[in-house]
Amino acid sequence: MKSMHTRARIAAAIFVAIALVPACKRDADTPAANPNGDYRVQVWALPAAAGSMAPDLSLASGDRLLLSWLNRQQGRRTALQFATYTDAGGWQSQPRTIAVGQSLVANGADTPHLLGTPDGAIWVQWLQARPDSPSGYDTVLARSRDGGMSWNQITNVNDDGLGVEHGFATLWAAGSDRIGIAWLDGRAQAAAHAEGAHAGEGDGTGAMQLRANAFDMDLGRGTDMVADARTCDCCQTDVALTGKGPLLAYRDRADDEVRDIAVLRFEAGAWSAPKAVHADGWKTEACPVNGPAVAARGNTAVVGWYSEGGGIAAVRIARSTDAGDAFAAPVIVDKGAAVLGRVDVALDAQQAWVTWLREDASGQTLMLARYAPDLSRELQRMVVARLDARGHASGTPKLVANASGAWLAWTDSIDGVAALKGALVAR
């Protein structure tokens, strides 16, 4: 499992920088006509310098889009940066640096996340390498009260002090001025190894855990909770706010190594028991580094994921109308040897959106499809971009939707150097 994680990190961290991408509004003059429907792909130029990778994209109050990324330039320390965008005014400022340093982990699979809360604060999570361990790192959390001009408080989300992996986090607003965070935590693996046990056997002893906590405006922590004591080691997690509370999606890990997608919900001060979104029955001995995505509007939730259940690589989406208590049978969005997965989903009032990656002999392709709100029919399918990046170098594309359309950000490669790209898909 760890070798897969390490390869993903190495593949994502080999880029250097040489040039600057201009910061501007989306280029509405160069839409790519799509013959399959009434939405078109428009270039959305991002203000990230060459060498940038690992984007995160989220919606905030005031019709703002928050974009973060990691920048790796040859001879310089890694920098975590972000910028704010509105469709009416374009980019609101030059990119701002949140953190910089050699210990800031640059990993295209396990990326930083940015979140705006209703009080106007911005929260950010990233990975910080531990000096006492070659492979250990902490999940770090910071908060800004002034729109990202300063980040005065920083704290470790995990408080075990162990040189193991703590990452693949996801954030949600737990109130007007506090956030919740869930992450994958390797402390039980460390304890099992110290005792000479085989990690991951039996009741979950020694397995990667899914843990969660909440932090207030002063970064005061709540009580750590173990949401699931045995999960896949290095698949992304995701969360969406439903009418019944946050719904957390992740790749579970059964004793027989079946690694299907599960969800659980935080309600009345506790996490529910995990429930499988669908019994794909994908049994694999290694972590696929390919986690699920979830989006919600009220009590309607859609989960998207990659699986090789039945021996066929496929991207699936499934819908719940009761905030994740139960899901309808999944819809197969795409299947076959070319499907890479790395899925993201979004919902708006008119449709459900899903994006994913394919790779064949001609290269990688970033795909996007939109479905009727109940997933009963596909409304449109399109190629967003053809990538020069290969393998894990493209990371996981990010997708959000608002009244303007669907916004995407992803990592590509130009002459071997990482580059962030963006698009708006709109009428």
Side-chain angles (χ1 to χ4, degrees), residues 341-372:
R342 302 185 215 162
V343 181
D344 205 358
V345 295
L347 292 176
D348 60 31
Q350 287 76 43
Q351 61 246 313
W353 301 86
V354 55
T355 189
W356 71 101
L357 286 171
R358 295 174 55 87
E359 183 170 353
D360 56 23
S362 64
Q364 284 193 10
T365 305
L366 177 59
M367 303 295 299
L368 180 72
R370 57 188 187 92
Y371 283 78

PDB file of all heavy atoms in Angstrom, residues 341-372:
ATOM      1  N   GLY A 341     -10.343   7.179 -13.887  1.00  0.00           N
ATOM      2  CA  GLY A 341     -11.104   7.617 -12.731  1.00  0.00           C
ATOM      3  C   GLY A 341     -10.705   9.005 -12.293  1.00  0.00           C
ATOM      4  O   GLY A 341     -10.732   9.942 -13.056  1.00  0.00           O
ATOM      5  N   ARG A 342     -10.313   9.133 -10.979  1.00  0.00           N
ATOM      6  CA  ARG A 342     -10.007  10.435 -10.370  1.00  0.00           C
ATOM      7  C   ARG A 342     -11.189  11.382 -10.568  1.00  0.00           C
ATOM      8  O   ARG A 342     -11.097  12.421 -11.221  1.00  0.00           O
ATOM      9  CB  ARG A 342      -8.721  10.998 -10.939  1.00  0.00           C
ATOM     10  CG  ARG A 342      -7.536  10.049 -10.726  1.00  0.00           C
ATOM     11  CD  ARG A 342      -6.245  10.661 -11.195  1.00  0.00           C
ATOM     12  NE  ARG A 342      -5.381   9.632 -11.764  1.00  0.00           N
ATOM     13  CZ  ARG A 342      -4.359   9.864 -12.553  1.00  0.00           C
ATOM     14  NH1 ARG A 342      -4.046  11.099 -12.867  1.00  0.00           N
ATOM     15  NH2 ARG A 342      -3.646   8.880 -13.024  1.00  0.00           N
ATOM     16  N   VAL A 343     -12.274  11.003  -9.953  1.00  0.00           N
ATOM     17  CA  VAL A 343     -13.588  11.566 -10.201  1.00  0.00           C
ATOM     18  C   VAL A 343     -13.860  12.770  -9.307  1.00  0.00           C
ATOM     19  O   VAL A 343     -13.433  12.809  -8.153  1.00  0.00           O
ATOM     20  CB  VAL A 343     -14.663  10.481  -9.956  1.00  0.00           C
ATOM     21  CG1 VAL A 343     -16.059  11.014 -10.225  1.00  0.00           C
ATOM     22  CG2 VAL A 343     -14.374   9.249 -10.808  1.00  0.00           C
ATOM     23  N   ASP A 344     -14.611  13.735  -9.843  1.00  0.00           N
ATOM     24  CA  ASP A 344     -15.224  14.762  -9.006  1.00  0.00           C
ATOM     25  C   ASP A 344     -16.649  14.967  -9.497  1.00  0.00           C
ATOM     26  O   ASP A 344     -16.963  14.715 -10.672  1.00  0.00           O
ATOM     27  CB  ASP A 344     -14.444  16.076  -9.058  1.00  0.00           C
ATOM     28  CG  ASP A 344     -14.664  16.933  -7.800  1.00  0.00           C
ATOM     29  OD1 ASP A 344     -15.443  16.509  -6.927  1.00  0.00           O
ATOM     30  OD2 ASP A 344     -14.059  18.010  -7.699  1.00  0.00           O
ATOM     31  N   VAL A 345     -17.529  15.409  -8.584  1.00  0.00           N
ATOM     32  CA  VAL A 345     -18.937  15.620  -8.918  1.00  0.00           C
ATOM     33  C   VAL A 345     -19.394  16.966  -8.369  1.00  0.00           C
ATOM     34  O   VAL A 345     -18.797  17.523  -7.447  1.00  0.00           O
ATOM     35  CB  VAL A 345     -19.841  14.500  -8.354  1.00  0.00           C
ATOM     36  CG1 VAL A 345     -19.525  13.163  -9.001  1.00  0.00           C
ATOM     37  CG2 VAL A 345     -19.719  14.404  -6.841  1.00  0.00           C
ATOM     38  N   ALA A 346     -20.480  17.480  -8.953  1.00  0.00           N
ATOM     39  CA  ALA A 346     -21.095  18.728  -8.483  1.00  0.00           C
ATOM     40  C   ALA A 346     -22.576  18.677  -8.816  1.00  0.00           C
ATOM     41  O   ALA A 346     -23.005  17.969  -9.746  1.00  0.00           O
ATOM     42  CB  ALA A 346     -20.427  19.938  -9.128  1.00  0.00           C
ATOM     43  N   LEU A 347     -23.359  19.440  -8.069  1.00  0.00           N
ATOM     44  CA  LEU A 347     -24.800  19.548  -8.296  1.00  0.00           C
ATOM     45  C   LEU A 347     -25.192  21.005  -8.401  1.00  0.00           C
ATOM     46  O   LEU A 347     -24.688  21.853  -7.664  1.00  0.00           O
ATOM     47  CB  LEU A 347     -25.585  18.916  -7.139  1.00  0.00           C
ATOM     48  CG  LEU A 347     -25.514  17.401  -6.942  1.00  0.00           C
ATOM     49  CD1 LEU A 347     -26.282  17.016  -5.675  1.00  0.00           C
ATOM     50  CD2 LEU A 347     -26.104  16.690  -8.138  1.00  0.00           C
ATOM     51  N   ASP A 348     -26.103  21.309  -9.322  1.00  0.00           N
ATOM     52  CA  ASP A 348     -26.779  22.598  -9.302  1.00  0.00           C
ATOM     53  C   ASP A 348     -28.269  22.341  -9.480  1.00  0.00           C
ATOM     54  O   ASP A 348     -28.721  21.190  -9.429  1.00  0.00           O
ATOM     55  CB  ASP A 348     -26.210  23.560 -10.350  1.00  0.00           C
ATOM     56  CG  ASP A 348     -26.330  23.049 -11.782  1.00  0.00           C
ATOM     57  OD1 ASP A 348     -27.291  22.304 -12.084  1.00  0.00           O
ATOM     58  OD2 ASP A 348     -25.470  23.408 -12.619  1.00  0.00           O
ATOM     59  N   ALA A 349     -29.049  23.382  -9.685  1.00  0.00           N
ATOM     60  CA  ALA A 349     -30.499  23.218  -9.722  1.00  0.00           C
ATOM     61  C   ALA A 349     -30.972  22.460 -10.958  1.00  0.00           C
ATOM     62  O   ALA A 349     -32.063  21.888 -10.956  1.00  0.00           O
ATOM     63  CB  ALA A 349     -31.174  24.589  -9.661  1.00  0.00           C
ATOM     64  N   GLN A 350     -30.164  22.436 -12.017  1.00  0.00           N
ATOM     65  CA  GLN A 350     -30.595  21.843 -13.279  1.00  0.00           C
ATOM     66  C   GLN A 350     -30.046  20.448 -13.537  1.00  0.00           C
ATOM     67  O   GLN A 350     -30.638  19.688 -14.303  1.00  0.00           O
ATOM     68  CB  GLN A 350     -30.184  22.736 -14.461  1.00  0.00           C
ATOM     69  CG  GLN A 350     -30.985  24.007 -14.601  1.00  0.00           C
ATOM     70  CD  GLN A 350     -30.581  25.058 -13.585  1.00  0.00           C
ATOM     71  OE1 GLN A 350     -29.392  25.249 -13.345  1.00  0.00           O
ATOM     72  NE2 GLN A 350     -31.550  25.722 -12.994  1.00  0.00           N
ATOM     73  N   GLN A 351     -28.901  20.090 -12.929  1.00  0.00           N
ATOM     74  CA  GLN A 351     -28.245  18.853 -13.312  1.00  0.00           C
ATOM     75  C   GLN A 351     -27.205  18.404 -12.300  1.00  0.00           C
ATOM     76  O   GLN A 351     -26.833  19.159 -11.400  1.00  0.00           O
ATOM     77  CB  GLN A 351     -27.559  19.029 -14.665  1.00  0.00           C
ATOM     78  CG  GLN A 351     -26.489  20.093 -14.705  1.00  0.00           C
ATOM     79  CD  GLN A 351     -26.845  21.263 -15.597  1.00  0.00           C
ATOM     80  OE1 GLN A 351     -27.282  21.064 -16.719  1.00  0.00           O
ATOM     81  NE2 GLN A 351     -26.663  22.475 -15.118  1.00  0.00           N
ATOM     82  N   ALA A 352     -26.735  17.186 -12.514  1.00  0.00           N
ATOM     83  CA  ALA A 352     -25.568  16.661 -11.804  1.00  0.00           C
ATOM     84  C   ALA A 352     -24.415  16.616 -12.788  1.00  0.00           C
ATOM     85  O   ALA A 352     -24.575  16.221 -13.949  1.00  0.00           O
ATOM     86  CB  ALA A 352     -25.863  15.263 -11.265  1.00  0.00           C
ATOM     87  N   TRP A 353     -23.231  17.029 -12.315  1.00  0.00           N
ATOM     88  CA  TRP A 353     -22.030  17.045 -13.143  1.00  0.00           C
ATOM     89  C   TRP A 353     -21.049  15.997 -12.636  1.00  0.00           C
ATOM     90  O   TRP A 353     -20.935  15.775 -11.434  1.00  0.00           O
ATOM     91  CB  TRP A 353     -21.336  18.409 -13.070  1.00  0.00           C
ATOM     92  CG  TRP A 353     -22.144  19.599 -13.506  1.00  0.00           C
ATOM     93  CD1 TRP A 353     -23.011  20.334 -12.749  1.00  0.00           C
ATOM     94  CD2 TRP A 353     -22.128  20.203 -14.804  1.00  0.00           C
ATOM     95  NE1 TRP A 353     -23.534  21.363 -13.486  1.00  0.00           N
ATOM     96  CE2 TRP A 353     -23.012  21.320 -14.754  1.00  0.00           C
ATOM     97  CE3 TRP A 353     -21.449  19.931 -15.987  1.00  0.00           C
ATOM     98  CZ2 TRP A 353     -23.233  22.142 -15.854  1.00  0.00           C
ATOM     99  CZ3 TRP A 353     -21.670  20.753 -17.085  1.00  0.00           C
ATOM    100  CH2 TRP A 353     -22.548  21.842 -17.014  1.00  0.00           C
ATOM    101  N   VAL A 354     -20.294  15.396 -13.546  1.00  0.00           N
ATOM    102  CA  VAL A 354     -19.239  14.466 -13.159  1.00  0.00           C
ATOM    103  C   VAL A 354     -18.073  14.630 -14.128  1.00  0.00           C
ATOM    104  O   VAL A 354     -18.263  14.734 -15.334  1.00  0.00           O
ATOM    105  CB  VAL A 354     -19.742  13.001 -13.149  1.00  0.00           C
ATOM    106  CG1 VAL A 354     -20.361  12.600 -14.474  1.00  0.00           C
ATOM    107  CG2 VAL A 354     -18.614  12.048 -12.769  1.00  0.00           C
ATOM    108  N   THR A 355     -16.862  14.704 -13.584  1.00  0.00           N
ATOM    109  CA  THR A 355     -15.655  14.786 -14.389  1.00  0.00           C
ATOM    110  C   THR A 355     -14.721  13.637 -14.021  1.00  0.00           C
ATOM    111  O   THR A 355     -14.722  13.169 -12.885  1.00  0.00           O
ATOM    112  CB  THR A 355     -14.953  16.154 -14.220  1.00  0.00           C
ATOM    113  OG1 THR A 355     -13.893  16.273 -15.173  1.00  0.00           O
ATOM    114  CG2 THR A 355     -14.385  16.323 -12.821  1.00  0.00           C
ATOM    115  N   TRP A 356     -13.932  13.192 -15.008  1.00  0.00           N
ATOM    116  CA  TRP A 356     -13.014  12.076 -14.781  1.00  0.00           C
ATOM    117  C   TRP A 356     -11.940  12.099 -15.862  1.00  0.00           C
ATOM    118  O   TRP A 356     -12.024  12.853 -16.836  1.00  0.00           O
ATOM    119  CB  TRP A 356     -13.764  10.749 -14.774  1.00  0.00           C
ATOM    120  CG  TRP A 356     -14.285  10.297 -16.111  1.00  0.00           C
ATOM    121  CD1 TRP A 356     -13.747   9.353 -16.950  1.00  0.00           C
ATOM    122  CD2 TRP A 356     -15.477  10.767 -16.792  1.00  0.00           C
ATOM    123  NE1 TRP A 356     -14.504   9.196 -18.081  1.00  0.00           N
ATOM    124  CE2 TRP A 356     -15.568  10.055 -18.011  1.00  0.00           C
ATOM    125  CE3 TRP A 356     -16.461  11.708 -16.467  1.00  0.00           C
ATOM    126  CZ2 TRP A 356     -16.612  10.265 -18.915  1.00  0.00           C
ATOM    127  CZ3 TRP A 356     -17.488  11.918 -17.374  1.00  0.00           C
ATOM    128  CH2 TRP A 356     -17.561  11.212 -18.578  1.00  0.00           C
ATOM    129  N   LEU A 357     -10.930  11.263 -15.680  1.00  0.00           N
ATOM    130  CA  LEU A 357      -9.817  11.183 -16.625  1.00  0.00           C
ATOM    131  C   LEU A 357      -9.809   9.838 -17.346  1.00  0.00           C
ATOM    132  O   LEU A 357     -10.145   8.809 -16.764  1.00  0.00           O
ATOM    133  CB  LEU A 357      -8.479  11.364 -15.900  1.00  0.00           C
ATOM    134  CG  LEU A 357      -8.122  12.779 -15.444  1.00  0.00           C
ATOM    135  CD1 LEU A 357      -6.892  12.733 -14.550  1.00  0.00           C
ATOM    136  CD2 LEU A 357      -7.875  13.697 -16.638  1.00  0.00           C
ATOM    137  N   ARG A 358      -9.388   9.896 -18.606  1.00  0.00           N
ATOM    138  CA  ARG A 358      -9.115   8.713 -19.419  1.00  0.00           C
ATOM    139  C   ARG A 358      -7.677   8.797 -19.933  1.00  0.00           C
ATOM    140  O   ARG A 358      -7.134   9.894 -20.076  1.00  0.00           O
ATOM    141  CB  ARG A 358     -10.060   8.630 -20.618  1.00  0.00           C
ATOM    142  CG  ARG A 358     -11.521   8.435 -20.269  1.00  0.00           C
ATOM    143  CD  ARG A 358     -12.391   8.517 -21.517  1.00  0.00           C
ATOM    144  NE  ARG A 358     -11.971   7.574 -22.543  1.00  0.00           N
ATOM    145  CZ  ARG A 358     -12.377   6.308 -22.641  1.00  0.00           C
ATOM    146  NH1 ARG A 358     -13.252   5.829 -21.766  1.00  0.00           N
ATOM    147  NH2 ARG A 358     -11.939   5.507 -23.602  1.00  0.00           N
ATOM    148  N   GLU A 359      -7.075   7.651 -20.210  1.00  0.00           N
ATOM    149  CA  GLU A 359      -5.766   7.649 -20.846  1.00  0.00           C
ATOM    150  C   GLU A 359      -5.641   6.446 -21.770  1.00  0.00           C
ATOM    151  O   GLU A 359      -5.877   5.311 -21.360  1.00  0.00           O
ATOM    152  CB  GLU A 359      -4.630   7.621 -19.813  1.00  0.00           C
ATOM    153  CG  GLU A 359      -3.251   7.684 -20.460  1.00  0.00           C
ATOM    154  CD  GLU A 359      -2.122   7.891 -19.462  1.00  0.00           C
ATOM    155  OE1 GLU A 359      -2.411   8.122 -18.264  1.00  0.00           O
ATOM    156  OE2 GLU A 359      -0.946   7.821 -19.872  1.00  0.00           O
ATOM    157  N   ASP A 360      -5.272   6.723 -23.033  1.00  0.00           N
ATOM    158  CA  ASP A 360      -5.003   5.666 -23.990  1.00  0.00           C
ATOM    159  C   ASP A 360      -3.701   5.989 -24.715  1.00  0.00           C
ATOM    160  O   ASP A 360      -2.928   6.849 -24.262  1.00  0.00           O
ATOM    161  CB  ASP A 360      -6.173   5.481 -24.960  1.00  0.00           C
ATOM    162  CG  ASP A 360      -6.531   6.758 -25.703  1.00  0.00           C
ATOM    163  OD1 ASP A 360      -5.659   7.657 -25.835  1.00  0.00           O
ATOM    164  OD2 ASP A 360      -7.680   6.876 -26.171  1.00  0.00           O
ATOM    165  N   ALA A 361      -3.451   5.341 -25.827  1.00  0.00           N
ATOM    166  CA  ALA A 361      -2.185   5.530 -26.533  1.00  0.00           C
ATOM    167  C   ALA A 361      -1.993   6.967 -27.007  1.00  0.00           C
ATOM    168  O   ALA A 361      -0.856   7.414 -27.191  1.00  0.00           O
ATOM    169  CB  ALA A 361      -2.108   4.566 -27.714  1.00  0.00           C
ATOM    170  N   SER A 362      -3.079   7.682 -27.206  1.00  0.00           N
ATOM    171  CA  SER A 362      -2.979   9.069 -27.679  1.00  0.00           C
ATOM    172  C   SER A 362      -2.764  10.067 -26.550  1.00  0.00           C
ATOM    173  O   SER A 362      -2.488  11.241 -26.802  1.00  0.00           O
ATOM    174  CB  SER A 362      -4.236   9.456 -28.458  1.00  0.00           C
ATOM    175  OG  SER A 362      -5.378   9.438 -27.610  1.00  0.00           O
ATOM    176  N   GLY A 363      -2.921   9.645 -25.290  1.00  0.00           N
ATOM    177  CA  GLY A 363      -2.710  10.529 -24.155  1.00  0.00           C
ATOM    178  C   GLY A 363      -3.901  10.574 -23.223  1.00  0.00           C
ATOM    179  O   GLY A 363      -4.840   9.774 -23.330  1.00  0.00           O
ATOM    180  N   GLN A 364      -3.862  11.521 -22.299  1.00  0.00           N
ATOM    181  CA  GLN A 364      -4.944  11.675 -21.324  1.00  0.00           C
ATOM    182  C   GLN A 364      -6.003  12.660 -21.827  1.00  0.00           C
ATOM    183  O   GLN A 364      -5.691  13.631 -22.527  1.00  0.00           O
ATOM    184  CB  GLN A 364      -4.398  12.174 -19.979  1.00  0.00           C
ATOM    185  CG  GLN A 364      -3.699  11.106 -19.182  1.00  0.00           C
ATOM    186  CD  GLN A 364      -3.434  11.518 -17.750  1.00  0.00           C
ATOM    187  OE1 GLN A 364      -3.915  12.532 -17.268  1.00  0.00           O
ATOM    188  NE2 GLN A 364      -2.637  10.718 -17.057  1.00  0.00           N
ATOM    189  N   THR A 365      -7.233  12.399 -21.414  1.00  0.00           N
ATOM    190  CA  THR A 365      -8.366  13.251 -21.764  1.00  0.00           C
ATOM    191  C   THR A 365      -9.172  13.546 -20.512  1.00  0.00           C
ATOM    192  O   THR A 365      -9.487  12.630 -19.745  1.00  0.00           O
ATOM    193  CB  THR A 365      -9.282  12.565 -22.794  1.00  0.00           C
ATOM    194  OG1 THR A 365      -8.508  12.174 -23.928  1.00  0.00           O
ATOM    195  CG2 THR A 365     -10.385  13.513 -23.240  1.00  0.00           C
ATOM    196  N   LEU A 366      -9.483  14.824 -20.300  1.00  0.00           N
ATOM    197  CA  LEU A 366     -10.348  15.231 -19.198  1.00  0.00           C
ATOM    198  C   LEU A 366     -11.779  15.291 -19.719  1.00  0.00           C
ATOM    199  O   LEU A 366     -12.093  16.071 -20.623  1.00  0.00           O
ATOM    200  CB  LEU A 366      -9.927  16.594 -18.654  1.00  0.00           C
ATOM    201  CG  LEU A 366     -10.785  17.182 -17.535  1.00  0.00           C
ATOM    202  CD1 LEU A 366     -10.812  16.258 -16.322  1.00  0.00           C
ATOM    203  CD2 LEU A 366     -10.297  18.570 -17.147  1.00  0.00           C
ATOM    204  N   MET A 367     -12.643  14.462 -19.151  1.00  0.00           N
ATOM    205  CA  MET A 367     -14.022  14.333 -19.596  1.00  0.00           C
ATOM    206  C   MET A 367     -14.974  15.013 -18.611  1.00  0.00           C
ATOM    207  O   MET A 367     -14.679  15.134 -17.419  1.00  0.00           O
ATOM    208  CB  MET A 367     -14.394  12.854 -19.710  1.00  0.00           C
ATOM    209  CG  MET A 367     -13.512  12.034 -20.637  1.00  0.00           C
ATOM    210  SD  MET A 367     -13.633  12.549 -22.360  1.00  0.00           S
ATOM    211  CE  MET A 367     -15.394  12.255 -22.673  1.00  0.00           C
ATOM    212  N   LEU A 368     -16.128  15.420 -19.129  1.00  0.00           N
ATOM    213  CA  LEU A 368     -17.184  15.988 -18.294  1.00  0.00           C
ATOM    214  C   LEU A 368     -18.525  15.552 -18.860  1.00  0.00           C
ATOM    215  O   LEU A 368     -18.732  15.561 -20.076  1.00  0.00           O
ATOM    216  CB  LEU A 368     -17.106  17.517 -18.283  1.00  0.00           C
ATOM    217  CG  LEU A 368     -18.167  18.241 -17.446  1.00  0.00           C
ATOM    218  CD1 LEU A 368     -17.892  18.061 -15.954  1.00  0.00           C
ATOM    219  CD2 LEU A 368     -18.198  19.739 -17.785  1.00  0.00           C
ATOM    220  N   ALA A 369     -19.421  15.150 -17.972  1.00  0.00           N
ATOM    221  CA  ALA A 369     -20.782  14.813 -18.382  1.00  0.00           C
ATOM    222  C   ALA A 369     -21.760  15.455 -17.423  1.00  0.00           C
ATOM    223  O   ALA A 369     -21.439  15.719 -16.259  1.00  0.00           O
ATOM    224  CB  ALA A 369     -20.977  13.295 -18.412  1.00  0.00           C
ATOM    225  N   ARG A 370     -22.952  15.735 -17.937  1.00  0.00           N
ATOM    226  CA  ARG A 370     -24.009  16.223 -17.058  1.00  0.00           C
ATOM    227  C   ARG A 370     -25.230  15.330 -17.217  1.00  0.00           C
ATOM    228  O   ARG A 370     -25.533  14.829 -18.303  1.00  0.00           O
ATOM    229  CB  ARG A 370     -24.338  17.688 -17.320  1.00  0.00           C
ATOM    230  CG  ARG A 370     -24.751  18.038 -18.723  1.00  0.00           C
ATOM    231  CD  ARG A 370     -24.857  19.556 -18.931  1.00  0.00           C
ATOM    232  NE  ARG A 370     -25.407  19.861 -20.243  1.00  0.00           N
ATOM    233  CZ  ARG A 370     -26.700  20.036 -20.492  1.00  0.00           C
ATOM    234  NH1 ARG A 370     -27.594  19.938 -19.501  1.00  0.00           N
ATOM    235  NH2 ARG A 370     -27.123  20.292 -21.707  1.00  0.00           N
ATOM    236  N   TYR A 371     -25.901  15.119 -16.089  1.00  0.00           N
ATOM    237  CA  TYR A 371     -27.038  14.211 -16.024  1.00  0.00           C
ATOM    238  C   TYR A 371     -28.261  14.938 -15.479  1.00  0.00           C
ATOM    239  O   TYR A 371     -28.142  15.952 -14.771  1.00  0.00           O
ATOM    240  CB  TYR A 371     -26.717  13.023 -15.102  1.00  0.00           C
ATOM    241  CG  TYR A 371     -25.831  11.982 -15.731  1.00  0.00           C
ATOM    242  CD1 TYR A 371     -24.459  12.190 -15.840  1.00  0.00           C
ATOM    243  CD2 TYR A 371     -26.356  10.791 -16.223  1.00  0.00           C
ATOM    244  CE1 TYR A 371     -23.635  11.235 -16.416  1.00  0.00           C
ATOM    245  CE2 TYR A 371     -25.537   9.823 -16.807  1.00  0.00           C
ATOM    246  CZ  TYR A 371     -24.182  10.060 -16.903  1.00  0.00           C
ATOM    247  OH  TYR A 371     -23.373   9.117 -17.481  1.00  0.00           O
ATOM    248  N   ALA A 372     -29.428  14.398 -15.801  1.00  0.00           N
ATOM    249  CA  ALA A 372     -30.654  14.877 -15.172  1.00  0.00           C
ATOM    250  C   ALA A 372     -30.503  14.774 -13.663  1.00  0.00           C
ATOM    251  O   ALA A 372     -29.767  13.918 -13.163  1.00  0.00           O
ATOM    252  CB  ALA A 372     -31.849  14.058 -15.653  1.00  0.00           C
TER     253      ALA A 372
END
